[in-house]
Amino acid sequence: NAGVMQNPRHLVRRRGQEARLRCSPMKGHSHVYWYRQLPEEGLKFMVYLQKENIIDESGMPKERFSAEFPKEGPSILRIQQVVRGDSAAYFCASSPISHGDTEAFFGQGTRLTVV
Amino acid sequence: QQQVKQSPQSLIVQKGGISIINCAYENTAFDYFPWYQQFPGKGPALLIAIRPDVSEKKEGRFTISFNKSAKQFSLHIMDSQPGDSATYFCAASIPGSTGNQFYFGTGTSLTVIP
């Protein structure tokens, strides 16, 4: 049973470009969470999705960031017109039910560098 | 505003010693407190978790102590080993809420020296 798969592992984008991060949850998991980790900081919640629904996006910046979890395929975190401050590690986690009640399994992250 | 405060930021312990990491929170609605371990280049992995109806939980060399009245909880690693060298994050969540998010501490970088 493969774990949470994130790709790419490393992504370099120039300022103004779009970054697209993918997350395939563990088999049987229908809840996906995206977190951002800045150097020397903990993980900050961004968004919580179930299939085809955004449940909570309270941690998501209002502009340039969007997320989706379609019926088929991976969850996508999209960052438009990236800026240097977007450079961070982005982690996806999945759980079979809402992870406040159970373990959430994290992927290995995508390290985004904006140059 | 940091919902969960974690200390120390870094910790160096001799092999065989006890590593202690502390966390404090304010929101009394939190009722699930996991600890995650993260190795460089990897995602966080659940180490051990506790709910506030117990004051202590032990799994092997890892123990969580929980003080509900003080709103504090800590991770103790007994007989620390070099393989325990990693970054440890405490977290808290409110199960059942629509938020369903973890609030993480800022992490403690543990180095266990032989």
Side-chain angles (χ1 to χ4, degrees):
Chain A
N1 184 15
V4 177
M5 304 300 293
Q6 287 188 250
N7 67 81
R9 293 289 309 278
H10 300 275
L11 182 61
V12 179
R13 284 287 177 265
R14 295 188 184 279
R15 280 181 298 171
Q17 291 185 319
E18 178 180 283
R20 195 172 290 207
L21 289 63
R22 294 175 184 76
C23 169
S24 295
M26 286 183 70
K27 187 176 181 181
H29 288 192
S30 59
H31 299 251
V32 166
Y33 310 81
W34 285 93
Y35 288 82
R36 176 164 62 176
Q37 185 177 35
L38 293 166
E40 309 301 325
E41 292 188 18
L43 294 94
K44 302 288 188 194
F45 169 80
M46 298 182 74
V47 62
Y48 161 42
L49 310 102
Q50 295 179 25
K51 283 285 187 181
E52 300 184 276
N53 286 304
I54 297 174
I55 307 302
D56 181 356
E57 56 182 348
S58 60
M60 199 95 108
K62 293 289 185 283
E63 297 176 352
R64 302 187 298 109
F65 286 73
S66 63
E68 63 178 15
F69 188 16
K71 188 177 180 181
E72 301 290 338
S75 175
I76 306 286
L77 179 67
R78 185 180 291 111
I79 311 172
Q80 296 178 302
Q81 299 176 318
V82 296
V83 301
R84 289 248 170 88
D86 297 332
S87 295
Y90 292 83
F91 289 95
C92 166
S94 75
S95 66
I97 59 177
S98 59
H99 82 37
D101 298 297
T102 189
E103 178 177 359
F105 295 84
F106 282 81
Q108 296 198 52
T110 293
R111 278 146 187 86
L112 172 66
T113 302
V114 179
V115 297
Chain B
Q1 180 188 2
Q2 193 67 31
Q3 294 259 9
V4 179
K5 292 184 169 60
Q6 183 172 348
S7 64
Q9 186 175 355
S10 62
L11 183 60
I12 300 174
V13 173
Q14 293 268 187
K15 179 182 174 181
I18 302 174
S19 303
I20 302 174
I21 304 170
N22 301 300
C23 285
Y25 64 96
E26 287 298 324
N27 190 343
T28 55
F30 290 145
D31 70 349
Y32 180 67
F33 302 88
W35 284 88
Y36 278 82
Q37 179 188 55
Q38 184 179 27
F39 292 103
K42 303 293 186 183
L46 180 67
L47 192 61
I48 186 173
I50 197 169
R51 295 191 186 278
D53 52 347
V54 297
S55 60
E56 186 176 281
K57 183 174 181 180
K58 184 176 181 179
E59 290 184 1
R61 296 184 294 109
F62 300 92
T63 300
I64 300 179
S65 296
F66 190 85
N67 186 331
K68 189 173 182 178
S69 60
K71 292 185 283 187
Q72 295 175 346
F73 58 111
S74 60
L75 175 70
H76 296 235
I77 306 174
M78 313 300 285
D79 187 26
S80 299
Q81 300 296 313
D84 296 331
S85 298
T87 300
Y88 293 80
F89 294 96
C90 60
S93 71
I94 309 171
S97 70
T98 56
N100 288 290
Q101 57 175 285
F102 282 156
Y103 295 89
F104 282 87
T106 50
T108 296
S109 176
L110 172 64
T111 302
V112 181
I113 53 178

